[in-house]
Amino acid sequence: MTEAEIKRALHEWIVKASGRIRPEELTDETMIFEKRIITSLQGLDFVLYMESLIGKNIDIQNLTLHDFRNVNAIYREVLGKLL
Amino acid sequence: MNDLAAIVEKLCASSRKGFSDPHAAVEWPANLDRDQWFMSPDLISLQGLPAYDALPESDRRTLSFHEVVNFFSLVLNGEKFLIQGLTQRLYREDLGGLTPYLHHMIDEENKHMIYFGEFCTRYAGKVYPDKKLSVPRDYAPGEEDFLFFARAVIFEDIVDAVNIRLAGDDRVCPTVRRINRIHHEDESRHLAFGRALLREMFGERAPGWSPETLSRVREHLSAYMAAAWKEYCNPSAYRDAGLPNSYQLYEEALASSPAARRRRELSARCVGFLVQSGILLQEPVL
């Protein structure tokens, strides 16, 4: 998957899982946990979905919530490094 | 002496009486015959899915091994979190009467982690990691402690329901049954403590919470119970069992009617307590 495809997939997942934001309101810089668009209890689902996108395990122990703060950070700090 | 203090005293005496050596409590065979059930067939997370029905029995037994490693891993990870929270609450003046029993809980949870960790590392070579994300938030007075102990009761009650089934299933590997039996014996005390504590805390604190806080607490606990069950399904375990399309299987397991029935059945005791005590107003969607 390309960077654009991964980011588009993340957008779609966030909008569907949240139910609290419209697609046009979500940008690559929207703070998804800080604004409680995604809750901590949805975090596991979100991580497993990201793993399914790239076909690799994500080692959460070496990451912080800051690395998942928005779509750009997720790609730059997490997924992009595993591709 | 109030009800909770009497229960704490009784449970402390029971824990002292049942004090055990975790390194002697379980015999660890050098190898386990993999052609046996490690998880009860009816408790396997994929049971009821077409992909599961299509598997030969030998592959189902292989899957049952990885499922029990996932179950033991999620319990171990949950107990790590529990011990952190219990330790933070030791010797707090406002929770002072609880400290003697918190010491026993920490000791017993540590012993459980030894059993679960030993099984996973000895026979599977790994513990499946915790992949939950922790998001800090603000709390109303008394809300954070209440949610901590409520999540602990929900987690322990669901795990205990599975422990009871596994411990009593003659088809399941004896080592797995033994670990589940030991865990159940300690968890029975932890649950008695947790339920008494929650009743007291809710009675004292909920009247001071705003309707928004009370609603948020109930919403959180319902969502927590649903989220706790998601850990029961793990794409990595399916992959390790040699099954293709592991994430799709995860989604199917979460959505399937047989799995939903199993979740409701195994959560019934816990939901009954939460609703009867007024903590929840209705059964969560599981």
Side-chain angles (χ1 to χ4, degrees):
Chain A
M1 290 179 94
T2 66
E3 177 177 345
E5 287 169 335
I6 287 175
K7 286 183 173 178
R8 187 162 55 245
L10 292 175
H11 274 253
E12 288 171 1
W13 192 95
I14 292 166
V15 169
K16 186 177 174 191
S18 169
R20 289 185 282 274
I21 190 167
R22 291 194 297 271
E24 61 273 20
E25 295 172 328
L26 180 68
T27 73
D28 288 349
E29 290 293 322
T30 303
M31 304 297 273
I32 53 179
F33 288 103
E34 188 179 306
K35 293 191 171 182
R36 301 193 62 72
I37 293 165
I38 297 295
T39 68
S40 60
L41 293 177
Q42 293 172 307
L44 171 67
D45 251 350
F46 196 25
V47 170
L48 293 178
Y49 177 70
M50 290 181 223
E51 289 185 339
S52 77
L53 286 179
I54 60 170
K56 291 182 181 171
N57 285 323
I58 297 171
D59 184 1
I60 296 295
Q61 319 305 319
N62 292 320
L63 297 166
T64 67
L65 191 63
H66 191 66
D67 298 317
F68 294 92
R69 62 193 179 279
N70 57 40
V71 169
N72 273 339
I74 291 170
Y75 186 81
R76 190 170 55 244
E77 308 298 335
V78 185
L79 302 183
K81 289 181 176 176
L82 293 170
L83 291 173
Chain B
M1 184 182 285
N2 64 25
D3 289 351
L4 181 60
I7 287 171
V8 164
E9 193 172 298
K10 185 178 165 192
L11 292 174
C12 283
S14 181
S15 281
R16 281 194 293 273
K17 191 177 171 189
F19 200 77
S20 65
D21 174 1
H23 301 285
V26 179
E27 287 185 19
W28 301 101
N31 296 295
L32 294 176
D33 174 12
R34 293 296 187 91
D35 189 27
Q36 61 181 325
W37 292 104
F38 290 89
M39 181 70 99
S40 301
D42 47 323
L43 293 181
I44 290 175
S45 65
L46 301 181
Q47 193 273 339
L49 294 184
Y52 180 80
D53 293 340
L55 291 176
E57 183 162 316
S58 60
D59 288 358
R60 295 181 188 183
R61 291 178 186 221
T62 299
L63 173 62
S64 79
F65 172 76
H66 297 283
E67 291 249 341
V68 92
V69 173
N70 179 57
F71 176 59
F72 284 178
S73 296
L74 76 87
V75 179
L76 192 160
N77 291 328
E79 291 184 332
K80 278 168 69 176
F81 178 80
L82 182 56
I83 284 178
Q84 285 173 12
L86 293 172
T87 305
Q88 286 167 0
R89 288 166 175 84
L90 283 172
Y91 296 100
R92 263 193 26 204
E93 285 187 12
D94 58 332
L95 300 173
L98 305 183
T99 290
Y101 193 62
L102 297 189
H103 274 302
H104 285 296
M105 280 187 78
I106 292 166
D107 169 57
E108 289 162 6
E109 297 297 357
N110 182 51
K111 287 171 179 169
H112 302 160
M113 292 197 302
I114 293 172
Y115 309 137
F116 294 124
E118 180 68 22
F119 184 93
C120 293
T121 53
R122 181 184 282 261
Y123 301 121
K126 65 176 170 187
V127 172
Y128 288 115
D130 188 353
K131 295 192 173 177
K132 295 190 290 297
L133 297 173
S134 177
V135 182
R137 47 164 282 202
D138 295 328
Y139 295 95
E143 183 186 3
E144 186 173 14
D145 283 331
F146 178 76
L147 285 180
F148 168 76
F149 284 110
R151 285 193 300 258
V153 165
I154 290 170
F155 169 74
E156 291 188 317
D157 203 322
I158 290 174
V159 166
D160 189 55
V162 178
N163 287 153
I164 291 168
R165 295 274 291 269
L166 285 175
D169 190 336
D170 291 340
R171 296 166 296 181
V172 170
C173 164
T175 307
V176 171
R177 293 180 63 196
R178 172 78 180 143
I179 293 170
N180 279 279
R181 187 174 303 110
I182 296 170
H183 195 235
H184 165 62
E185 287 164 4
D186 284 346
E187 291 304 298
S188 300
R189 293 192 297 274
H190 297 184
L191 282 166
F193 167 75
R195 290 179 193 132
L197 177 61
L198 285 189
R199 278 197 193 94
E200 182 169 298
M201 286 180 116
F202 191 71
E204 286 175 359
R205 299 174 186 208
W209 289 337
S210 67
E212 292 75 22
T213 298
L214 190 53
S215 171
R216 183 175 66 205
V217 164
R218 287 175 167 145
E219 196 177 308
H220 177 86
L221 293 179
S222 296
Y224 173 79
M225 190 178 287
W229 272 114
K230 289 186 177 180
E231 291 184 75
Y232 194 77
C233 308
N234 187 342
S236 295
Y238 306 151
R239 204 177 305 123
D240 289 343
L243 303 180
N245 305 317
S246 58
Y247 184 73
Q248 187 183 328
L249 288 174
Y250 167 78
E251 289 194 306
E252 288 175 8
L254 294 180
S256 83
S257 300
R261 270 199 304 277
R262 190 164 50 241
R263 291 193 290 270
R264 286 196 297 272
E265 179 190 324
L266 292 165
S267 308
R269 182 181 62 183
C270 183
V271 169
F273 161 74
L274 293 170
V275 171
Q276 182 269 332
S277 59
I279 294 171
L280 293 185
L281 294 178
Q282 59 194 16
E283 185 178 337
V285 177
L286 298 175

Coordinates of all heavy atoms in Angstrom, one line a residue, chain B residues 85-136:
Chain B
G85 N -1.9 -0.8 39.7 CA -3.0 0.0 40.4 C -3.1 -0.3 41.8 O -3.4 0.6 42.6
L86 N -3.0 -1.6 42.2 CA -3.1 -2.0 43.6 C -1.9 -1.4 44.4 O -2.1 -0.9 45.5 CB -3.1 -3.5 43.8 CG -4.3 -4.3 43.2 CD1 -4.1 -5.8 43.3 CD2 -5.6 -3.9 44.0
T87 N -0.7 -1.4 43.8 CA 0.4 -0.9 44.5 C 0.3 0.6 44.8 O 0.7 1.1 45.8 CB 1.7 -1.2 43.7 OG1 1.8 -2.6 43.4 CG2 3.0 -0.8 44.4
Q88 N -0.2 1.3 43.8 CA -0.4 2.8 43.9 C -1.4 3.1 45.1 O -1.4 4.2 45.6 CB -1.0 3.4 42.6 CG 0.1 3.5 41.5 CD -0.5 3.8 40.2 OE1 -1.8 3.9 40.1 NE2 0.3 3.9 39.2
R89 N -2.3 2.1 45.4 CA -3.3 2.4 46.4 C -3.0 1.9 47.8 O -3.7 2.1 48.7 CB -4.6 1.8 45.9 CG -5.2 2.7 44.8 CD -6.3 2.0 44.0 NE -6.8 2.9 43.0 CZ -6.3 3.1 41.8 NH1 -5.2 2.4 41.4 NH2 -6.8 4.0 40.9
L90 N -1.8 1.3 47.9 CA -1.3 0.8 49.3 C -1.1 2.0 50.2 O -0.6 3.0 49.8 CB 0.0 0.0 49.1 CG 0.0 -1.4 48.6 CD1 1.4 -1.9 48.4 CD2 -0.7 -2.3 49.6
Y91 N -1.5 1.9 51.4 CA -1.3 2.8 52.5 C -1.8 4.2 52.2 O -1.4 5.2 52.8 CB 0.2 2.9 52.8 CG 0.7 1.6 53.4 CD1 1.4 0.7 52.6 CD2 0.4 1.2 54.7 CE1 1.8 -0.6 53.0 CE2 0.8 0.0 55.2 CZ 1.5 -0.9 54.4 OH 1.9 -2.1 54.9
R92 N -2.8 4.3 51.3 CA -3.5 5.6 51.1 C -4.4 5.8 52.3 O -5.2 4.9 52.6 CB -4.2 5.6 49.8 CG -3.4 6.3 48.7 CD -4.1 6.7 47.5 NE -5.5 6.9 47.6 CZ -6.4 6.7 46.6 NH1 -5.9 6.4 45.4 NH2 -7.6 7.0 46.7
E93 N -4.4 6.9 52.9 CA -5.2 7.1 54.1 C -6.7 6.9 53.9 O -7.4 6.3 54.7 CB -5.0 8.5 54.7 CG -3.6 8.6 55.4 CD -3.5 10.0 56.1 OE1 -4.5 10.7 56.3 OE2 -2.3 10.3 56.5
D94 N -7.2 7.4 52.7 CA -8.6 7.2 52.4 C -9.0 5.8 52.1 O -10.2 5.4 52.0 CB -9.0 8.2 51.3 CG -8.3 8.0 50.0 OD1 -7.1 7.5 50.1 OD2 -8.8 8.3 49.0
L95 N -8.0 4.9 51.8 CA -8.3 3.5 51.5 C -7.5 2.6 52.6 O -7.3 1.4 52.3 CB -7.8 3.2 50.1 CG -8.4 3.9 49.0 CD1 -7.6 3.6 47.7 CD2 -9.9 3.6 48.8
G96 N -7.2 3.2 53.7 CA -6.3 2.6 54.7 C -6.8 1.2 55.1 O -6.0 0.3 55.3
G97 N -8.1 1.0 55.3 CA -8.6 -0.3 55.7 C -8.4 -1.4 54.7 O -8.5 -2.6 55.0
L98 N -8.1 -1.1 53.5 CA -7.9 -2.1 52.4 C -6.5 -2.6 52.4 O -6.3 -3.7 51.8 CB -8.3 -1.5 51.1 CG -9.6 -0.8 50.9 CD1 -9.8 -0.3 49.5 CD2 -10.8 -1.8 51.3
T99 N -5.5 -1.9 52.9 CA -4.1 -2.2 52.7 C -3.8 -3.7 53.0 O -3.1 -4.3 52.2 CB -3.2 -1.2 53.4 OG1 -3.3 0.0 52.7 CG2 -1.8 -1.7 53.4
P100 N -4.2 -4.2 54.2 CA -3.8 -5.6 54.5 C -4.2 -6.6 53.4 O -3.5 -7.5 53.0 CB -4.6 -5.9 55.8 CG -4.8 -4.6 56.4 CD -5.0 -3.6 55.3
Y101 N -5.4 -6.4 52.8 CA -5.8 -7.3 51.7 C -5.2 -7.0 50.4 O -4.9 -7.9 49.6 CB -7.4 -7.4 51.6 CG -7.7 -8.6 50.8 CD1 -7.4 -9.9 51.2 CD2 -8.3 -8.5 49.5 CE1 -7.7 -11.0 50.4 CE2 -8.6 -9.6 48.7 CZ -8.3 -10.8 49.2 OH -8.5 -11.9 48.4
L102 N -4.9 -5.7 50.1 CA -4.2 -5.4 48.9 C -2.9 -6.1 48.8 O -2.4 -6.5 47.8 CB -4.0 -3.9 48.8 CG -5.3 -3.0 48.7 CD1 -4.9 -1.6 48.3 CD2 -6.3 -3.6 47.7
H103 N -2.2 -6.2 50.0 CA -0.9 -6.9 50.0 C -1.1 -8.4 49.6 O -0.3 -8.9 48.8 CB -0.3 -6.9 51.5 CG 0.5 -5.7 51.8 ND1 1.6 -5.3 51.0 CD2 0.4 -4.8 52.7 CE1 2.1 -4.2 51.5 NE2 1.4 -3.9 52.6
H104 N -2.1 -9.0 50.1 CA -2.4 -10.4 49.6 C -2.7 -10.5 48.1 O -2.3 -11.4 47.4 CB -3.6 -11.0 50.4 CG -3.2 -11.3 51.8 ND1 -2.3 -12.3 52.1 CD2 -3.6 -10.8 53.0 CE1 -2.1 -12.4 53.5 NE2 -2.9 -11.5 54.0
M105 N -3.5 -9.5 47.7 CA -3.9 -9.5 46.2 C -2.6 -9.4 45.4 O -2.5 -10.1 44.4 CB -4.9 -8.4 45.9 CG -6.3 -8.8 46.3 SD -7.5 -7.5 45.7 CE -7.6 -7.9 44.0
I106 N -1.8 -8.5 45.8 CA -0.5 -8.2 45.0 C 0.3 -9.5 45.0 O 0.8 -10.0 43.9 CB 0.3 -7.1 45.5 CG1 -0.5 -5.8 45.3 CG2 1.7 -7.0 44.9 CD1 0.0 -4.6 46.1
D107 N 0.4 -10.1 46.2 CA 1.2 -11.4 46.3 C 0.6 -12.5 45.4 O 1.3 -13.2 44.6 CB 1.2 -11.8 47.7 CG 1.7 -13.3 47.9 OD1 2.9 -13.5 47.5 OD2 1.0 -14.1 48.4
E108 N -0.7 -12.6 45.4 CA -1.4 -13.7 44.7 C -1.4 -13.4 43.2 O -1.2 -14.3 42.4 CB -2.8 -13.9 45.3 CG -2.8 -14.5 46.6 CD -4.1 -14.4 47.5 OE1 -5.1 -13.9 46.9 OE2 -4.1 -14.8 48.6
E109 N -1.6 -12.2 42.8 CA -1.6 -11.8 41.4 C -0.1 -12.1 40.8 O 0.0 -12.5 39.7 CB -2.0 -10.4 41.1 CG -3.4 -10.0 41.5 CD -4.5 -10.8 40.7 OE1 -4.1 -11.6 39.8 OE2 -5.7 -10.6 41.1
N110 N 0.9 -11.8 41.6 CA 2.2 -12.1 41.2 C 2.5 -13.6 40.9 O 3.1 -14.0 40.0 CB 3.2 -11.5 42.2 CG 4.7 -11.7 41.7 OD1 5.0 -11.4 40.6 ND2 5.5 -12.3 42.6
K111 N 1.9 -14.4 41.9 CA 2.0 -15.8 41.7 C 1.3 -16.3 40.4 O 1.8 -17.2 39.7 CB 1.5 -16.5 42.9 CG 2.4 -16.4 44.1 CD 1.7 -16.9 45.4 CE 2.7 -16.8 46.6 NZ 2.1 -17.0 47.9
H112 N 0.1 -15.7 40.2 CA -0.6 -16.1 39.0 C 0.2 -15.8 37.7 O 0.3 -16.6 36.8 CB -1.9 -15.3 38.9 CG -2.8 -15.5 40.0 ND1 -3.8 -14.7 40.3 CD2 -2.8 -16.5 41.0 CE1 -4.5 -15.1 41.4 NE2 -3.9 -16.2 41.8
M113 N 0.9 -14.7 37.7 CA 1.7 -14.3 36.6 C 2.8 -15.3 36.3 O 3.2 -15.5 35.2 CB 2.2 -12.9 36.7 CG 1.2 -11.8 36.7 SD 1.8 -10.2 36.4 CE 2.9 -10.0 37.7
I114 N 3.3 -15.9 37.5 CA 4.4 -16.9 37.3 C 3.8 -18.1 36.6 O 4.5 -18.6 35.7 CB 5.0 -17.2 38.7 CG1 5.7 -16.0 39.3 CG2 5.9 -18.5 38.6 CD1 6.2 -16.2 40.7
Y115 N 2.6 -18.5 37.0 CA 2.1 -19.7 36.3 C 1.8 -19.4 34.8 O 2.2 -20.2 33.9 CB 0.7 -20.1 36.9 CG 0.6 -20.3 38.4 CD1 -0.5 -19.8 39.1 CD2 1.6 -21.0 39.1 CE1 -0.6 -19.9 40.5 CE2 1.5 -21.1 40.4 CZ 0.4 -20.6 41.1 OH 0.3 -20.8 42.5
F116 N 1.1 -18.3 34.6 CA 0.8 -18.0 33.2 C 2.0 -17.7 32.3 O 2.1 -18.2 31.2 CB -0.2 -16.8 33.2 CG -1.5 -17.1 33.8 CD1 -2.0 -16.3 34.8 CD2 -2.3 -18.1 33.4 CE1 -3.2 -16.5 35.4 CE2 -3.5 -18.4 34.0 CZ -4.0 -17.6 35.0
G117 N 2.9 -17.0 32.9 CA 4.1 -16.7 32.1 C 5.0 -17.9 31.8 O 5.5 -18.1 30.8
E118 N 5.0 -18.8 32.9 CA 5.8 -20.0 32.7 C 5.2 -20.9 31.6 O 6.0 -21.4 30.7 CB 5.9 -20.8 34.0 CG 6.7 -22.1 33.9 CD 8.2 -21.9 33.8 OE1 8.7 -20.8 34.1 OE2 8.9 -22.8 33.3
F119 N 3.9 -21.0 31.6 CA 3.3 -21.9 30.5 C 3.6 -21.3 29.2 O 4.0 -22.0 28.2 CB 1.8 -21.9 30.8 CG 1.1 -22.9 29.8 CD1 0.9 -24.2 30.1 CD2 0.7 -22.4 28.5 CE1 0.3 -25.1 29.1 CE2 0.1 -23.2 27.6 CZ -0.1 -24.6 27.9
C120 N 3.4 -20.0 29.0 CA 3.5 -19.3 27.7 C 5.0 -19.4 27.2 O 5.2 -19.7 26.0 CB 3.1 -17.9 27.8 SG 1.3 -17.7 28.1
T121 N 5.9 -19.1 28.1 CA 7.3 -19.0 27.6 C 7.9 -20.4 27.4 O 8.6 -20.7 26.5 CB 8.2 -18.2 28.6 OG1 8.0 -18.7 29.9 CG2 7.8 -16.8 28.6
R122 N 7.5 -21.3 28.3 CA 8.1 -22.7 28.2 C 7.5 -23.4 27.0 O 8.3 -24.1 26.3 CB 7.7 -23.5 29.5 CG 8.2 -24.9 29.6 CD 7.7 -25.6 30.8 NE 8.4 -25.2 32.0 CZ 9.4 -26.0 32.6 NH1 9.7 -27.1 32.0 NH2 9.9 -25.6 33.7
Y123 N 6.2 -23.3 26.7 CA 5.7 -24.1 25.7 C 5.4 -23.4 24.4 O 5.3 -24.0 23.3 CB 4.4 -24.8 26.2 CG 4.6 -25.6 27.4 CD1 3.9 -25.4 28.6 CD2 5.5 -26.7 27.4 CE1 4.1 -26.1 29.7 CE2 5.7 -27.5 28.5 CZ 5.0 -27.2 29.7 OH 5.2 -28.0 30.8
A124 N 5.3 -22.1 24.4 CA 5.0 -21.3 23.2 C 6.2 -20.4 22.8 O 6.3 -19.8 21.7 CB 3.8 -20.5 23.3
G125 N 7.1 -20.2 23.8 CA 8.3 -19.4 23.6 C 8.0 -17.9 23.6 O 8.8 -17.1 23.2
K126 N 6.7 -17.5 24.0 CA 6.4 -16.1 24.1 C 5.1 -15.8 24.8 O 4.3 -16.8 25.1 CB 6.2 -15.6 22.7 CG 5.0 -16.2 21.9 CD 4.9 -15.5 20.6 CE 3.9 -16.2 19.7 NZ 3.9 -15.7 18.3
V127 N 5.0 -14.6 25.2 CA 3.7 -14.1 25.8 C 3.2 -13.1 24.7 O 4.0 -12.2 24.2 CB 4.0 -13.3 27.1 CG1 2.7 -12.6 27.6 CG2 4.5 -14.3 28.2
Y128 N 2.0 -13.2 24.3 CA 1.4 -12.2 23.4 C 1.4 -10.9 24.1 O 0.8 -10.8 25.2 CB 0.0 -12.6 22.9 CG 0.0 -13.8 22.0 CD1 -0.6 -15.0 22.3 CD2 0.6 -13.7 20.7 CE1 -0.6 -16.1 21.5 CE2 0.6 -14.8 19.8 CZ 0.0 -16.0 20.2 OH 0.0 -17.1 19.4
P129 N 1.9 -9.9 23.4 CA 2.0 -8.6 24.1 C 0.6 -7.8 24.2 O -0.3 -8.1 23.4 CB 2.9 -7.8 23.2 CG 2.8 -8.4 21.9 CD 2.5 -9.8 22.1
D130 N 0.6 -7.0 25.2 CA -0.6 -6.1 25.4 C -0.5 -5.0 24.4 O 0.5 -4.3 24.2 CB -0.5 -5.5 26.8 CG -1.7 -4.8 27.2 OD1 -2.6 -4.6 26.4 OD2 -1.8 -4.3 28.4
K131 N -1.6 -4.9 23.6 CA -1.6 -3.8 22.5 C -2.6 -2.7 22.8 O -3.0 -2.0 21.9 CB -1.9 -4.5 21.2 CG -0.7 -5.4 20.8 CD -0.7 -5.9 19.4 CE 0.6 -6.6 19.1 NZ 0.6 -7.2 17.8
K132 N -3.1 -2.6 24.1 CA -4.0 -1.6 24.4 C -3.3 -0.2 24.5 O -2.1 -0.2 24.8 CB -4.7 -1.9 25.7 CG -5.6 -3.1 25.6 CD -6.5 -3.2 26.9 CE -5.8 -3.6 28.1 NZ -5.1 -4.8 28.1
L133 N -4.0 0.9 24.2 CA -3.4 2.2 24.3 C -4.0 2.9 25.5 O -5.3 2.9 25.7 CB -3.7 3.0 23.1 CG -3.0 2.5 21.8 CD1 -3.5 3.3 20.6 CD2 -1.5 2.6 21.8
S134 N -3.2 3.4 26.4 CA -3.7 4.1 27.6 C -3.8 5.6 27.3 O -2.8 6.2 27.0 CB -2.8 3.8 28.8 OG -3.3 4.5 29.9
V135 N -5.0 6.2 27.5 CA -5.2 7.6 27.2 C -5.5 8.3 28.5 O -6.6 8.0 29.1 CB -6.3 7.8 26.2 CG1 -6.5 9.3 25.9 CG2 -6.1 7.0 24.9
P136 N -4.7 9.2 29.0 CA -5.0 10.0 30.2 C -6.3 10.8 30.1 O -6.6 11.3 29.0 CB -3.8 10.8 30.4 CG -3.0 10.8 29.2 CD -3.5 9.7 28.3

